[in-house]
Amino acid sequence: MSTLPNKLAEIVDDFQAITERERLELLLEFSQELPALPERLADHPELLEQVVECQSPLFLTIEVADDEDRTVSLFFSAPPEAPTTRGFASVLNEGLNGQPANIILDVPDDMPEQLGLTRAITPLRMRGMTAMLGRIKRKIREAL
Amino acid sequence: MTETADTKISEYAHPERLVTTAWVAEHSNDANVVIVESDEDILLYETGHIPGAVKIDWHTDLNDEVARDYINGEQFAELMSSKGISRDTTIVVYGDKSNWWAAYAMWVFTLFGHEDVRLMDGGRDKWIAEGRELVTDKTARERAEYPVVERNDAPIRAYLPEVNEAIGKIPLIDVRSPEEYSGKRTHMPAYPEEGALRGGHIPTAASVPWARAAAEDGTFKSRAELEAIYLEDAGLKAADEVIAYCRIGERSSHTWFVLQHLLGFENVRNYDGSWTEWGNAVRVPIVKGEEPGEAPQR
């Protein structure tokens, strides 16, 4: 049975512990904390892949280290006019960046639903986050 | 520039429905004017909004929680009162993505017969492009007393049976992208599911993507340009009844606004069930491909 890595599980717990209104505020905070791309990627947008399922432009890529754990680094780019998308990206970044590949592959596909936002946020937007997770997993599988 | 914008607006059939960013900057403090931001992205308002603007979210504020329908008269009265809006308030709506959701909010306000509701031409992007002020502080408006008014859907809202009945009789306008219209989109692996079982369009519907009505900066095109698109290319006549639809009714609200308020059509309805309903409904006809198709024999 798949489980969430600790960091992501903590984030889910944080979302679950508060009211719906507060969850949106928390997502906004996450959106503001999405790290900028490192220069080597910022100057080369063609190295990122667009997740077209998101209603706003969202680009991502991953790097898998050659270590024993096959540690995964995540990189996201989304414009400031898309705070919801940025927020989702930031949750995944915070919760999954630096994790071993097999741990990320074990994250349940419906993990975004666990944030408790499905009432406040439309299904299409939620699908955007699910798509991001799916894309990350696919890219990891390709890289292994 | 302002004069040019004012001249452009004065040429529309109902110029009182559209204001410039400059107008908003001058009037946002008027006691009887309330600026409303309505976006696709539920968090965008919080990242910065026009000083004094209140937020209305289409999904959580305007939709009923249980029924697939809009809120009722009592809920609307409560929503308006809580935002400091009275029945005689001038509402100016603006938003992201060329005002899709702003037009949608305006359309819902119109279901309740709110008389003076306008759009800000160019929406949020234009305001920002002009370097105008944005604030993040919460707008505190004094509560107002908005009366309970029953929604009157009939004049501007179409339901599935009426649309079915309209095939071959009155013009239907599909405002989605050409890929959605032809039905190609749901079959393209890299593209999102449209939430409908089948891809295509309603028989006889003409394809006029909403974006054709918008200029590069998100403002509406001039009346002459709009007439070329809707009257010449699409062959509509201002006296026609028209029904517009898209995927969930937001992009078609944009087209509803263009036809009704900018070109002066008198009988334009928005089919808000749109393709998510039609593409999943049992025993309704669809057409695939780039041609409008024929009305089915019945």
Side-chain angles (χ1 to χ4, degrees):
Chain A
M1 188 57 212
S2 50
T3 47
L4 297 183
N6 289 346
K7 193 76 212 263
L8 190 58
E10 272 172 37
I11 296 173
V12 167
D13 286 347
D14 288 347
F15 271 94
Q16 288 292 343
I18 52 182
T19 65
E20 189 171 76
R21 173 165 282 282
E22 291 164 339
R23 284 173 195 159
L24 287 174
E25 284 167 19
L26 184 56
L27 190 64
L28 182 65
E29 283 171 30
F30 268 101
S31 79
Q32 288 153 352
E33 287 160 12
L34 182 69
L37 289 174
E39 240 170 68
R40 66 176 195 284
L41 290 174
D43 294 342
H44 290 278
E46 74 280 4
L47 296 176
L48 281 78
E49 186 173 329
Q50 181 169 13
V51 181
V52 289
E53 290 89 340
C54 298
Q55 284 186 300
S56 312
L58 181 280
F59 298 85
L60 64 81
T61 194
I62 60 146
E63 284 170 6
V64 181
D66 234 348
D67 56 5
E68 201 182 324
D69 280 347
R70 307 305 309 268
T71 306
V72 177
S73 302
L74 300 174
F75 304 94
F76 296 93
S77 164
E81 310 83 74
T84 307
T85 304
R86 282 178 67 88
F88 286 152
S90 183
V91 164
L92 292 175
N93 187 61
E94 187 85 17
L96 298 177
N97 191 35
Q99 293 287 330
N102 64 341
I103 299 277
I104 298 182
L105 290 176
D106 272 353
V107 171
D109 293 333
D110 65 352
M111 172 264 141
E113 314 256 314
Q114 299 179 23
L115 296 174
L117 289 165
T118 41
R119 205 197 67 93
I121 294 190
T122 61
L124 196 63
R125 292 181 205 154
M126 291 302 298
R127 278 211 291 280
M129 187 179 185
T130 309
M132 273 185 234
L133 179 59
R135 194 68 67 100
I136 290 167
K137 288 188 183 185
R138 200 194 76 203
K139 286 184 83 70
I140 292 176
R141 280 191 204 99
E142 285 168 3
L144 288 180
Chain B
M1 204 179 91
T2 308
E3 266 178 41
T4 323
D6 287 343
T7 311
K8 183 194 93 168
I9 288 178
S10 70
E11 286 168 353
Y12 294 130
H14 298 287
E16 72 282 5
R17 292 295 178 173
L18 201 61
V19 298
T20 60
T21 47
W23 189 95
V24 170
E26 269 167 48
H27 294 271
S28 61
N29 288 324
D30 290 6
N32 203 37
V33 172
V34 175
I35 312 296
V36 169
E37 176 160 343
S38 198
D39 298 316
E40 185 273 322
D41 194 304
I42 191 171
L43 296 176
L44 196 52
Y45 170 91
E46 279 76 12
T47 67
H49 51 83
I50 296 178
V54 297
K55 168 187 177 177
I56 291 187
D57 181 68
W58 63 281
H59 180 60
T60 52
D61 288 328
L62 299 178
N63 279 293
D64 187 273
E65 237 185 278
V66 186
R68 186 178 170 187
D69 201 355
Y70 300 102
I71 51 176
N72 64 29
E74 274 154 22
Q75 292 165 314
F76 187 72
E78 174 52 33
L79 175 68
M80 293 292 105
S81 302
S82 71
K83 302 291 176 186
I85 296 171
S86 311
R87 190 69 172 161
D88 61 358
T89 297
T90 296
I91 302 177
V92 179
V93 200
Y94 76 101
D96 60 355
K97 308 216 163 168
S98 302
N99 275 335
W100 285 5
W101 305 102
Y104 190 55
M106 176 196 240
W107 179 75
V108 174
F109 296 165
T110 307
L111 293 173
F112 290 95
H114 191 94
E115 202 176 306
D116 191 358
V117 47
R118 315 170 182 198
L119 289 184
M120 182 177 86
D121 202 17
R124 190 185 156 90
D125 288 346
K126 184 150 199 289
W127 181 271
I128 293 171
E130 290 170 348
R132 295 183 187 272
E133 189 187 3
L134 289 179
V135 295
T136 51
D137 49 330
K138 285 202 173 104
T139 299
R141 286 193 60 86
E142 212 172 299
R143 200 184 153 82
E145 278 307 314
Y146 200 94
V148 174
V149 188
E150 282 318 304
R151 231 177 49 216
N152 182 13
D153 293 349
I156 59 167
R157 185 180 187 196
Y159 296 104
L160 186 143
E162 294 163 357
V163 178
N164 207 6
E165 198 49 44
I167 296 173
K169 294 183 189 139
I170 68 174
L172 302 174
I173 298 290
D174 185 315
V175 316
R176 299 172 301 161
S177 63
E179 292 79 11
E180 290 167 286
Y181 179 84
S182 66
K184 213 157 113 191
R185 186 149 181 171
T186 45
H187 300 296
M188 285 164 76
Y191 278 84
E193 283 298 315
E194 284 298 308
L197 287 174
R198 294 167 303 160
H201 56 267
I202 301 174
T204 73
S207 170
V208 188
W210 73 274
R212 292 189 63 190
E216 292 245 317
D217 63 355
T219 56
F220 291 101
K221 286 186 181 162
S222 70
R223 182 160 187 179
E225 289 170 309
L226 295 175
E227 284 178 348
I229 296 165
Y230 294 95
L231 304 185
E232 288 166 35
D233 293 0
L236 298 177
K237 294 178 200 68
D240 281 346
E241 276 189 51
V242 181
I243 297 175
Y245 71 94
C246 58
R247 190 181 59 82
I248 53 171
E250 89 290 28
R251 287 174 283 180
S252 46
S253 301
H254 189 272
T255 299
W256 165 79
F257 179 83
V258 169
L259 294 176
Q260 175 114 356
H261 293 314
L262 303 185
L263 293 179
F265 281 55
E266 277 167 24
N267 199 340
V268 186
R269 282 178 293 165
N270 181 19
Y271 169 39
D272 61 281
S274 276
W275 196 256
T276 49
E277 177 178 48
W278 195 273
N280 286 318
V282 176
R283 301 195 88 181
V284 299
I286 69 159
V287 172
K288 288 177 182 290
E290 283 155 27
E291 295 303 318
E294 303 289 323
Q297 300 291 323
R298 49 188 155 193

